[in-house]
Amino acid sequence: MARKTYWLEHAWLGDLVEPGVALDVTADGRIAGLRTGVDAPPPGAEVLRGLTVPGLANAHSHAFHRALRSTVQVGSGTFWTWREVMYGVAQNLTPDSYFALARAVYAEMALAGITDVGEFHYVHHAPGGTPYADPNAMGEALIEAAAAAGIRITLLDTAYLAAGFGEAPNAHQRRFSDGTADAWAERVSALKPREHALIGAAVHSVRAVPAGQLATVAAWAQERQAPLHVHLSEQTAENDACLAAHGRTPTQLLADHGVLGPGTTGVHNTHLTDEDIALLGTTTTGTCMCPTTERDLADGIGPAGRLQRAGSPLSLGSDSHAVIDLLEEARAMELNERLRSRTRGHWTANALLTAATADGHAALGRPDAGRLEAGALADFTTIALDTVRTAGPLPRLGAETAVFAASAADVRHTVVGGRHIVRDGAHTLVGDVAGALSEAIAAVRG
């Protein structure tokens, strides 16, 4: 790719909105530099009208859950009844059908301004648990799907070895399991990073990885300086079962086995004790909040503010894809806290955008993304300021407009590595994203 220049009508630079910014991109897809006070587009520059922010980081995704949207809104129930519907879709996935579905889902993410996704991937084998000829066929399908949709991916290959404390995987879960953490490590070690893809690790949950095998997963990630994620205390039932089995909370159990630390991110972190919060903070373990899923599944509101004050960096994810809208995730985190506390202003718009950008990319192993500055990856997205949702406020309030008024539908451009992936609201690589979603979901619905 040749060097190029983008002219940003307005740009969020982390703490303020600047009008008229020229952003130069190197041939290898990084930001060469920025010039402020550029009142008109330089000759030959690509013009991005609206508010340009760093590309959004979706730090927690289960791509195949997109097939559950609306279907799981019929009737009532809990997380556990929702899980049974999810298992039905998981059983129908093949490497080919998962590629088609994930490609469409990742294209939807690009349309929403997301440039990097953390895919918490646990559907590894054929139904019944028999490995494919390529044991990583499903993970490779996800990596290729991200490339086809034009976004980056951190494949968080997930150890999922048990149905619960002391319970073997059930019939649905056999395709998730490698049997042991050592076998998981052997398989995942064959996955190789590439330009758009990093390989990370995940512990599905303390109920799904026996305590004696947690250290194997943690060591694999630590030796490679790879991101390590874990579903943590999403459900009170998990906390109760962990206390009964080990006399410890899930957070304390993870600490005992060396899982916590600055390379680790706990997902949800919803039902925590004061001691749990202190442990996560003092170890600088991250927290990925997924508010639209947590409210959809009636999980509860996690103590995001207390966690951040304790020292846990915050990131955001769309998880089950009840919606794919990182601006809504950011907004929901603040509004949830307002409902709980009956006070306003727990995070500024700048802080919420930072969680959706720089801190999310860092949680996915990309500290060189999420900022509009020289040397960073040239990944950014532009939000229109003239739609029925965003028109009216002064441009200098662009951060507030983006977080508290805009939606994914207001994204006009998405650029990844200096390459236009979404232009004027249309995906440049996937011609009909809605059609691709419909076709791919029908194929796995069963």
Side-chain angles (χ1 to χ4, degrees), residues 210-406:
Q213 300 185 58
L214 289 169
T216 299
V217 183
W220 186 95
Q222 290 160 7
E223 287 167 7
R224 292 160 178 79
Q225 297 185 306
L228 174 62
H229 288 213
V230 54
H231 289 135
L232 180 56
S233 288
E234 181 180 5
Q235 298 292 323
T236 55
E238 178 182 282
N239 288 359
D240 295 342
C242 189
L243 285 166
H246 296 286
R248 318 283 285 162
T249 68
T251 301
Q252 292 163 343
L253 188 67
L254 294 174
D256 289 346
H257 293 277
V259 177
L260 303 184
T264 300
T265 297
V267 181
H268 303 303
N269 294 1
T270 308
H271 303 285
L272 303 176
T273 66
D274 291 345
E275 292 77 11
D276 292 340
I277 292 171
L279 258 178
L280 293 168
T282 56
T283 57
T284 326
T285 301
T287 294
C288 179
M289 302 300 294
C290 306
T292 65
T293 290
E294 289 149 6
R295 71 191 185 197
D296 183 65
L297 297 179
D299 286 343
I301 300 171
R306 293 181 62 199
L307 282 161
Q308 188 173 52
R309 289 191 294 274
S312 178
L314 297 180
S315 55
L316 296 164
S318 64
D319 192 3
S320 70
H321 312 313
V323 297
I324 293 177
D325 188 338
L326 261 287
L327 300 174
E328 174 61 20
E329 303 294 346
R331 174 162 56 244
M333 188 164 70
E334 165 68 21
L335 298 187
N336 282 351
E337 202 68 22
R338 292 183 185 185
L339 285 173
R340 190 218 312 269
S341 66
R342 292 183 291 172
T343 60
R344 305 176 76 229
H346 300 272
W347 291 276
T348 65
N350 289 334
L352 292 167
L353 275 179
T354 298
T357 56
D359 288 349
H361 290 290
L364 297 180
R366 294 191 190 275
D368 55 348
R371 296 177 178 83
L372 298 182
E373 61 183 36
L377 291 170
D379 299 355
F380 41 91
T381 188
T382 304
I383 300 158
L385 296 178
D386 58 357
T387 72
V388 292
R389 288 167 293 277
T390 61
L394 295 171
R396 64 180 174 80
L397 298 175
E400 288 76 11
T401 300
V403 171
F404 292 107

Side-chain angles (χ1 to χ4, degrees), residues 69-87:
R69 187 181 294 180
S70 299
T71 301
V72 289
Q73 303 301 345
V74 178
S76 59
T78 66
F79 166 86
W80 306 104
T81 55
W82 170 91
R83 189 174 70 159
E84 292 303 312
V85 181
M86 179 271 288
Y87 282 154

